[in-house]
Amino acid sequence: QVQLVESGGGLVQPGGSLRLSCAASGSIFSYNAMAWYRQAPGKQRELVAAMSTAGSTNYADSVKGRFTIPRDNPKNTVYLQRNSLKPGEPAIYYCNLGGWLGIYRLGPYWGQGTQVTVSS
């Protein structure tokens, strides 16, 4: 059984920063990458950032230079550091446990989601 537990969402002002956390536990040894997705109201879920256990990364073009995805391998935890947040980026953020073959490969396990609202 695999469990992904997210934390760190909330309200932030435009231009502010926020860090999300996702801790994985259980039978995770078959997976070598984790990622963050987000889903805005009325839109499809999209990949934001991904990192392999070896340190390779993928970022969506819209967040390059503003978001980073640090990872603590011994703790099986991945973070999403989000800077320079824009008012048009409210969404629910989900972490995913998957694989890496040059790019991120979506896995079957999702966290429960954490809401982020950008507003003054």
Side-chain angles (χ1 to χ4, degrees), residues 61-79:
D61 288 342
S62 60
V63 306
K64 285 180 180 177
R66 297 189 298 123
F67 291 9
T68 58
I69 184 169
R71 181 168 181 157
D72 188 336
N73 284 336
K75 294 183 178 179
N76 296 316
T77 298
V78 66
Y79 306 92

Side-chain angles (χ1 to χ4, degrees), residues 31-33 35 37 50 58 96-108:
Y31 304 94
N32 66 343
Y37 285 73
N58 281 160
N96 179 268
L97 182 66
W100 193 274
L101 289 173
I103 60 173
Y104 186 72
R105 297 290 192 176
L106 183 67

